[in-house]
Amino acid sequence: MSEQPTAAVLIIGNEILSGRTQDVNLAHIARELGEIGVRLAEARVVPDIEAEIVDALNALRRRYTYVFTTGGIGPTHDDITSACVAKAFGLPFGRHPEAERRLLAYFPPEKVNAARMRMAETPEGAELIDNPVSIAPGFRVENVYVLAGVPAIMRAMFDGIKARLKGGPRLKSRSLTLFTPEGEVAEALGKIQQDHAGIDIGSYPFTRDGRYGTTIVFRGTNQTQLDSGYARLTAWALERGVETKAEA
């Protein structure tokens, strides 16, 4: 089996940390990566502070196959992601000729100003990522993909680069809901996980109509282990008379 590529998402912005804006980009990126066999292994949220962004970028880009940043590439004073990427890689930073051309062609002359033209600045040698929604591009430097924070724009950018990402075996999952508290199944899950080290087993408790329950998700690339772990849990529930429901 080929090695599984890995990824991290770096979410940048004070508005996320303040709770003023709710991030929805992480879930979308995770789902899209899973479809092509890239395992999202880490996500971080950092403020609009240069040192924090640079440190996080350098840590993540050395650890994972891909790093995707969201946020901080707009026209305002706190949009510093692009410059921080340049600093992390030790690259000169300035106006990208093609990004400049796109912006000048998109905005009428009376709408062109210094703030908008900041969105044409990238690290030297960056490869642009198309933005079919509002023209201002993202970019790639080595394994770091710099995307917008606005969800509609981020999704459009990601759609454009997805086919260029090298994936691995597609991640699969099976889920089983048990109508029993998480504490009742914890010991059995630990033993199943120990015997199925090639997959991840997640436990998600809930209450529904006054009943306690737990949804167990088996996730990985090894279908045999997925099926085996699922069967073990099903048998455990049957032996104890625990009501179950298979999930899609």
Side-chain angles (χ1 to χ4, degrees):
M1 182 182 296
S2 60
E3 184 177 351
Q4 194 80 34
T6 57
V9 173
L10 181 61
I11 302 164
I12 299 167
N14 292 338
E15 68 275 14
I16 301 294
L17 290 167
S18 71
R20 185 176 181 85
T21 299
Q22 183 175 3
D23 175 74
V24 297
N25 291 325
L26 177 61
H28 181 82
I29 293 173
R31 286 192 298 268
E32 293 292 303
L33 291 176
E35 288 184 0
I36 61 173
V38 176
R39 183 173 64 88
L40 182 59
E42 185 173 349
R44 297 190 190 186
V45 184
V46 295
D48 299 309
I49 298 175
E50 180 184 278
E52 299 281 349
I53 297 170
V54 171
D55 287 349
L57 276 170
N58 281 331
L60 296 173
R61 70 186 180 90
R62 291 166 181 153
R63 188 174 301 162
Y64 301 110
T65 313
Y66 303 111
V67 176
F68 302 93
T69 76
T70 64
I73 59 172
T76 60
H77 70 281
D78 57 348
D79 289 314
I80 61 173
T81 298
S82 299
C84 290
V85 175
K87 185 163 187 177
F89 281 93
L91 293 171
F93 180 70
R95 192 73 59 85
H96 190 293
E98 174 58 19
E100 179 181 45
R101 185 198 68 76
R102 294 183 190 185
L103 290 172
L104 291 175
Y106 182 78
F107 292 109
E110 66 273 16
K111 296 293 185 180
V112 174
N113 56 39
R116 283 198 167 106
M117 295 313 295
R118 288 185 71 228
M119 295 187 293
E121 297 176 346
T122 71
E124 187 176 280
E127 174 187 313
L128 297 184
I129 296 173
D130 293 339
N131 172 3
V133 177
S134 59
I135 211 63
F139 61 87
R140 178 185 71 86
V141 177
E142 295 184 12
N143 65 331
V144 175
Y145 293 77
V146 179
L147 309 175
V150 177
I153 301 174
M154 190 287 299
R155 290 193 295 268
M157 286 182 172
F158 195 91
D159 285 346
I161 64 173
K162 183 178 175 181
R164 304 203 300 267
L165 302 175
K166 183 178 179 181
R170 184 171 178 176
L171 294 170
K172 307 168 188 176
S173 68
R174 295 196 68 179
S175 302
L176 184 68
T177 290
L178 309 177
F179 289 92
T180 190
E182 187 178 35
E184 296 296 325
V185 71
E187 183 178 354
L189 278 185
K191 292 177 181 177
I192 295 171
Q193 179 69 87
Q194 186 176 8
D195 294 337
H196 297 78
I199 59 173
D200 294 324
I201 304 176
S203 174
Y204 306 96
F206 64 86
T207 57
R208 189 180 302 163
D209 298 326
R211 301 176 68 191
Y212 289 99
T214 311
T215 297
I216 309 301
V217 180
F218 300 84
R219 192 163 184 264
T221 60
N222 189 315
Q223 188 67 56
T224 300
Q225 287 214 358
L226 286 174
D227 293 341
S228 174
Y230 186 94
R232 279 266 300 272
L233 182 61
T234 302
W236 176 90
L238 183 63
E239 288 173 4
R240 288 157 181 78
V242 173
E243 182 185 346
T244 64
K245 179 184 177 183
E247 303 288 347

